[in-house]
Amino acid sequence: PDTPAQEHAVNDAPVFTIDDLTLATPAGKVLIAHGQLTLGHSELALLVGPSGSGKSSLIKLLSGLLAPEDEPWQIQGRLHHGGRDYDLSREQCDVRALVFQNYALFDDLGAAENLSIAQDHAASADPDLTTLILDLLADIDPEQSVAASSGGQRQRIAIARTLLANRPLLLFDEPNSG
């Protein structure tokens, strides 16, 4: 952007949108009917609702863990991001990264080894992101096994590992459970 007004317009433009999302369980229970979601740059959104209302199913869909070919889930809708348009009934997209509720770390490996596995699968390293991750893990011995780490340390390792994916959308499943 050349001017502050143009910069403001870029930051206010939707970064991620979902249109007309319908998600039904294999038993046919409609969890989401014709849902809409729009997120802007650096925007935070919380999904709230009663147990069984579809929050985790939506997270699974957006994180690629619930795929269109997973029969017999019924998925309809379109996701728009970065100039691309995804038909969620037929394809997955790679714009999201998930911090799992139970961390999903390799307990017998150290923090450094867990991060190294993630780094090996990351598209590219971002030096600013690396600095943030090092700050996040400053008090954690990189060689100490995850099993010997506290719950808070495990959570920060899981967040750091997910950040290494360097995706524009970061999803947390039950972020307050730990």
Side-chain angles (χ1 to χ4, degrees):
D2 295 327
T3 68
Q6 288 173 323
E7 182 176 333
H8 183 70
V10 167
N11 286 337
D12 286 346
V15 172
F16 177 89
T17 60
I18 296 176
D19 294 318
D20 202 26
L21 177 65
T22 298
L23 180 61
T25 68
K29 179 182 178 188
V30 176
L31 300 174
I32 300 169
H34 308 290
Q36 308 288 324
L37 175 66
T38 301
L39 294 173
H41 181 74
S42 300
E43 191 168 2
L44 174 68
L46 301 174
L47 296 175
V48 294
S51 181
S53 64
K55 299 179 303 293
S56 290
S57 297
L58 177 59
I59 294 287
K60 286 178 183 175
L61 174 68
L62 295 178
S63 64
L65 297 176
L66 184 64
E69 62 271 7
D70 286 346
E71 292 293 333
W73 279 89
Q74 298 166 40
I75 303 167
Q76 296 293 319
R78 302 197 77 73
L79 184 146
H80 314 278
H81 171 73
R84 291 254 350 249
D85 184 32
Y86 301 88
D87 180 348
L88 295 173
S89 69
R90 295 183 296 124
E91 59 188 320
Q92 291 178 283
C93 63
D94 62 356
V95 300
R96 72 282 175 258
L98 173 64
V99 178
F100 291 93
Q101 178 178 351
N102 63 353
Y103 315 127
L105 298 168
F106 296 101
D107 288 342
D108 56 330
L109 301 179
E113 291 170 302
N114 270 278
L115 296 177
S116 147
I117 291 168
Q119 186 66 50
D120 290 345
H121 293 90
S124 63
D126 178 342
D128 293 333
L129 191 57
T130 303
T131 301
L132 290 171
I133 289 170
L134 290 173
D135 290 345
L136 181 66
L137 304 177
D139 68 325
I140 299 174
D141 176 357
E143 303 309 316
Q144 176 179 311
S145 73
V146 168
S149 299
S150 73
Q153 289 173 327
R154 289 179 194 190
Q155 190 170 41
R156 285 185 285 131
I157 294 167
I159 292 168
R161 183 211 39 221
T162 304
L163 288 172
L164 284 172
N166 202 15
R167 302 281 191 229
L169 181 63
L170 185 60
L171 303 168
F172 290 82
D173 188 13
E174 296 285 346
N176 296 331
S177 65

